[in-house]
């Protein structure tokens, strides 16, 4: 058996197969060290190893391990050999009889033993405590302290590992990354008894392990809200970008029972931006992550619920009720809905690229990968603001950044201030009239074939990193047959619905639709998902606020 206390303290572990000796050791340890350390007692080597693995997964620290030499199945030296793989910085003590002193001396070389104690150790004030006092002092002086946090173990070039890291980072969940090839990654895999062929492995602060987790399972285990607290709301906001967060802030602050539903992470495309410099009120710029975090905290302060990792698959209209159906079949309903689903980056359709997505090829900034780009050559595909912001951010550490732009210049799609910054950056170059023809690599990106649009000539370049920003596709397919969309999939609203003097399809009210109202009364759209919207953070936030004003008008007349 293993005895543990419930408090989260640094651990001293003792293992002895003799119950009487085991209790005596634990008694003496608690008498002297129980106020500062948690004493864990085990009566077999196997049980002690299980306890160490559990402590490792929970992120607890182990300062000293005391093991009896003569234990069946696994003696003390064999036990310490395995224990040191789990906690290499823990001080190691072997309890021996006089006849076993030669074995104890040999163990100094085998397991780097710190000390051996002869049994019996009475009185402990003379034979036990001085030894442990010195070992604990040495342990405290070493740089080993850990902060309880989520741990991710995975392959360096793994799309799924990259996706998990990006999900945690964008949801402001602190985590530490361990490659499965480094010693600590191997120790965590051993502690979790995990298969290195099934990664990533996620270990939460309480020691829960998740293998190849789906986003809903991961969200639930790291403390993100995934389940609504009510069945019916005044306002359901779908999408957590600037428009959705703006709507949630204004809706909740004005007394509406508000829930925001986000399929992955709040912030949308803006949340992935390394620096937004033309947003009102931030003359020195603000990162998308900072802006998102402030908006999310502001929304929750006013009482808005935020559900993460919930995919919406349908919109249901039942009388005055508007229902939102999730992928798992559950439904929440409300008086009104604001569609702020935003857009996603279009996929670059070239040979060899799809298998390398997440393995050197990324859509959006993928800021978790920025540190790994230090000293490397980076390629960015696209010529709009998001591409320019990423170029400036990555250029801080990268050896070189090359912008690949299909058009003849940046001026048609990028803000003037960004063009000026790029021109002044010594390690950023712009290749206009250039497209990616193919991508090459086995387990990660290794080369790109580039083609000159004007001449058709191709060039093969070495490349391990490419970030793609090539326009946006609206996330509105799930609204097919319910909400009117334009030929590109963007949602049509307000006056655009009545062009030609005809009533919108399905409209049954005497009044025309409000400015941001769709063809379904009480369902509004805000931000990038709206047809002919400005595609700017400021306008998205403004539309979110305006949509809430129109929701109030709708509710007053319903």
């Amino acid at each position: 058996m293993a005895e543990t206390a419930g408090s989260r303290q640094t651990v001293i572990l003792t293992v002895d197969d003799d119950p009487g000796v085991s209790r005596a050791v634990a008694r003496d340890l608690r008498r002297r060290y129980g106020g500062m350390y948690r004493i864990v007692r085990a009566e077999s080597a196997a049980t002690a190893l299980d306890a160490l693995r559990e402590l490792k997964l929970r992120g607890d620290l182990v300062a000293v391990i005391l093991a009896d030499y003569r234990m069946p199945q696994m003696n003390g030296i064999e036990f310490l050999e395995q224990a040191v793989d789990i906690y290499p910085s823990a001080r190691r003590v072997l309890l021996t009889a006089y006849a076993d002193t030669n074995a104890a001396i040999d163990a100094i070389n085998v397991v780097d033993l710190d000390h051996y104690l002869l049994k019996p150790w009475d009185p402990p004030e003379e034979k036990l405590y001085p030894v442990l006092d010195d070992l604990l002092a040495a342990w405290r002086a070493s740089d080993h302290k850990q902060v309880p946090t989520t741990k991710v173990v995975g392959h360096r070039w793994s799309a799924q590992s990259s996706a998990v890291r990006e999900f945690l980072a964008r949801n402001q969940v602190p985590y530490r990354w361990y490659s499965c090839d480094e010693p600590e990654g191997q120790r965590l895999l051993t502690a979790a008894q995990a298969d290195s062929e099934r990664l990533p492995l996620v270990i939460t602060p309480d020691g829960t392990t998740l293998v190849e987790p789906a986003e809903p399972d991961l969200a639930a285990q790291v403390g993100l809200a995934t389940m609504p607290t009510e069945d019916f709301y005044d306002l359901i906001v779908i999408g957590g970008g600037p428009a959705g967060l703006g709507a949630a802030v204004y809706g909740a602050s004005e007394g509406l029972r508000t829930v925001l539903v986000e399929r992955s992470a709040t912030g949308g495309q803006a949340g992935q931006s390394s620096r937004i410099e033309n947003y009102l009120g931030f003359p020195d710029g603000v990162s998308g992550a900072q802006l998102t975090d402030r908006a999310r905290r502001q929304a929750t302060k006013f009482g808005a619920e935020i559900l993460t990792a919930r995919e919406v698959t349908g919109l249901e209209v039942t009388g005055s009720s508007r229902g939102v159906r999730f992928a798992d079949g559950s439904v929440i309903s409300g008086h009104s809905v604001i569609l702020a689903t935003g857009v996603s980056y279009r996929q670059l359709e070239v040979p060899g690229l799809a298998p390398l997505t997440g393995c050197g090829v990324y859509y959006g900034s993928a800021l978790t990968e920025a540190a790994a780009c230090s000293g490397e050559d980076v390629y960015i595909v696209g010529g709009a603001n998001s591409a320019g912001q990423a170029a400036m951010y990555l250029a801080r550490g990268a050896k070189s950044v090359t912008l690949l732009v299909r058009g003849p210049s940046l001026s048609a799609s990028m803000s003037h201030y960004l063009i000026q910054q790029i021109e002044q950056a010594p390690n950023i170059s712009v290749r206009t009239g250039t497209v990616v023809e193919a991508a090459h690599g086995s387990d990660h990106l290794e080369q790109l074939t580039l083609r000159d649009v004007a001449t058709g000539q191709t060039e093969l370049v070495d490349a391990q990193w490419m970030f793609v920003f090539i326009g946006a596709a609206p996330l509105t397919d799930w609204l097919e047959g319910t909400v009117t969309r334009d030929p590109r999939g963007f949602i049509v609203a307000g006056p655009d619905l009545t062009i030609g003097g005809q009533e919108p399809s399905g409209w049954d009210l005497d009044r025309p639709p409000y400015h941001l109202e769709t063809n379904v009364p009480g369902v509004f759209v805000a931000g990038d998902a709206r047809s002919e919207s400005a595609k700017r953070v400021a306008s998205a936030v403004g539309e979110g606020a305006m949509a809430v004003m129109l929701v109030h008008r709708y509710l007053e007349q319903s």
Side-chain angles (χ1 to χ4, degrees):
M1 61 170 289
E3 294 180 1
T4 66
S7 60
R8 196 180 191 90
Q9 295 174 290
T10 300
V11 169
I12 298 175
L13 181 139
T14 174
V15 52
D16 196 305
D17 66 302
D18 185 323
V21 175
S22 177
R23 285 192 293 269
V25 175
R27 179 200 63 218
D28 288 344
L29 292 175
R30 289 193 180 98
R31 184 188 306 162
R32 173 86 166 196
Y33 305 107
M36 293 182 59
Y37 297 90
R38 179 153 54 104
I39 310 303
V40 175
R41 179 174 71 87
E43 293 183 1
S44 74
T47 304
L49 288 173
D50 288 341
L52 287 173
R53 294 188 186 103
E54 181 181 346
L55 293 166
K56 183 72 173 182
L57 295 177
R58 290 172 49 185
D60 289 342
L61 298 171
V62 175
V64 176
I65 301 172
L66 298 93
D68 182 55
Y69 173 64
R70 294 200 175 192
M71 292 189 292
Q73 285 83 47
M74 186 187 304
N75 67 37
I77 296 174
E78 293 168 336
F79 162 76
L80 288 172
E81 280 188 277
Q82 296 193 40
V84 75
D85 290 335
I86 303 172
Y87 278 100
S89 65
R91 297 308 192 253
R92 297 170 286 281
V93 179
L94 195 67
L95 301 177
T96 68
Y98 182 79
D100 301 321
T101 52
N102 287 335
I105 293 171
D106 291 340
I108 293 175
N109 296 322
V110 175
V111 294
D112 194 20
L113 194 68
D114 292 291
H115 205 90
Y116 68 90
L117 290 172
L118 293 176
K119 298 189 294 185
W121 55 85
D122 289 331
E125 289 78 10
E126 294 181 12
K127 298 184 178 179
L128 178 63
Y129 298 154
V131 171
L132 289 184
D133 286 345
D134 289 344
L135 293 178
L136 289 168
W139 180 86
R140 287 193 298 269
S142 61
D143 184 17
H144 56 264
K145 293 185 179 179
Q146 304 176 37
V147 177
T149 187
T150 297
K151 304 177 182 69
V152 181
V153 184
H155 294 290
R156 176 66 196 88
W157 299 110
S158 162
Q160 197 166 358
S161 295
S162 177
V164 164
R165 296 170 64 194
E166 192 75 4
F167 177 84
L168 293 173
R170 293 189 59 199
N171 279 292
Q172 305 291 315
V173 178
Y175 76 93
R176 287 197 63 182
W177 160 256
Y178 300 91
S179 169
C180 61
D181 297 322
E182 64 184 50
E184 185 64 12
Q186 287 290 329
R187 281 191 281 271
L188 289 169
L189 289 175
T190 300
Q193 297 179 311
D195 185 352
S196 61
E197 298 300 316
R198 295 189 60 205
L199 296 176
L201 168 72
V202 177
I203 305 166
T204 64
D206 66 359
T208 301
T209 59
L210 302 169
V211 178
E212 299 178 327
E215 284 188 356
D217 297 328
L218 180 58
Q221 289 295 334
V222 298
L224 300 174
T226 60
M227 300 298 294
T229 61
E230 301 183 35
D231 296 324
F232 199 90
Y233 295 85
D234 295 319
L235 173 61
I236 302 172
V237 181
I238 303 175
L245 287 168
V249 167
Y250 283 96
S253 67
E254 294 172 11
L256 297 178
R257 290 172 299 166
T258 302
V259 60
L260 183 150
V261 181
E262 168 56 46
R263 70 187 185 117
S264 182
T266 51
Q269 283 189 323
Q272 296 178 278
S273 177
S274 56
R275 181 156 295 272
I276 304 168
E277 296 191 69
N278 59 351
Y279 187 65
L280 185 66
F282 292 90
D284 297 321
V286 61
S287 73
Q290 290 173 320
L291 190 62
T292 297
D293 180 57
R294 293 177 183 181
R296 182 170 48 208
R297 288 189 284 114
Q298 196 172 13
T300 55
K301 181 188 78 171
F302 287 123
E305 287 183 43
I306 297 181
L307 307 182
T308 305
R310 295 305 301 267
E311 183 179 1
V312 176
T313 59
L315 180 66
E316 301 175 353
V317 180
T318 308
S320 62
S321 174
R322 305 292 178 257
V324 172
R325 185 172 65 253
F326 296 122
D328 63 2
S330 61
V331 176
I332 58 171
S333 300
H335 290 300
S336 60
V337 174
I338 294 178
L339 303 172
T341 53
V343 295
S344 64
Y345 290 110
R346 295 187 184 278
Q347 302 293 295
L348 182 59
E349 303 292 344
V350 300
L353 196 66
L356 300 176
T357 301
C359 305
V361 177
Y362 305 93
Y363 288 88
S365 297
L367 297 181
T368 54
E369 303 295 337
C373 296
S374 179
E376 303 281 349
D377 297 315
V378 177
Y379 287 83
I380 295 176
V381 181
N385 277 6
S386 53
Q389 290 162 351
M392 292 302 302
Y393 179 74
L394 293 170
R396 298 175 185 176
K399 178 182 177 183
S400 70
V401 175
T402 303
L403 271 168
L404 304 176
V405 184
R406 177 185 289 272
S409 71
L410 293 173
S411 58
S413 54
M414 189 177 293
S415 295
H416 180 64
Y417 81 91
L418 268 176
I419 296 176
Q420 288 183 310
Q421 291 179 1
I422 288 171
E423 289 175 346
Q424 294 169 6
N427 59 339
I428 299 180
S429 60
V430 181
R431 294 185 57 166
T432 57
T434 304
V435 296
V436 176
E437 185 80 359
H440 315 277
S442 51
D443 61 342
H444 67 278
L445 179 66
E446 297 173 1
Q447 292 180 313
L448 293 171
T449 298
L450 307 181
R451 176 171 59 86
D452 187 289
V453 175
T455 66
Q457 291 183 333
T458 60
E459 175 187 359
L460 188 66
V461 298
D462 293 331
Q464 285 193 315
W465 305 93
M466 183 172 74
F467 299 85
V468 183
F469 306 82
I470 57 167
L475 301 169
T476 60
D477 289 347
W478 59 279
L479 293 167
E480 177 68 31
T482 305
V483 173
T484 300
R485 301 180 298 155
D486 68 17
R488 296 182 299 158
F490 292 92
I491 298 170
V492 182
D496 292 338
L497 285 166
T498 57
I499 293 176
Q502 296 182 351
E503 287 189 351
S505 173
W507 189 262
D508 58 1
L509 300 182
D510 293 335
R511 64 170 177 82
Y514 296 130
H515 182 64
L516 297 177
E517 196 169 20
T518 70
N519 63 300
V520 180
V523 177
F524 300 82
V525 61
D528 290 0
R530 184 176 66 84
S531 179
E532 304 301 327
S533 62
K535 309 297 186 291
R536 286 290 187 268
V537 174
S539 62
V541 173
E543 287 191 6
M546 182 187 295
V548 171
M549 180 193 72
L550 298 173
V551 164
H552 279 293
R553 189 179 300 177
Y554 167 78
L555 293 176
E556 290 168 359
Q557 297 182 3
S558 298

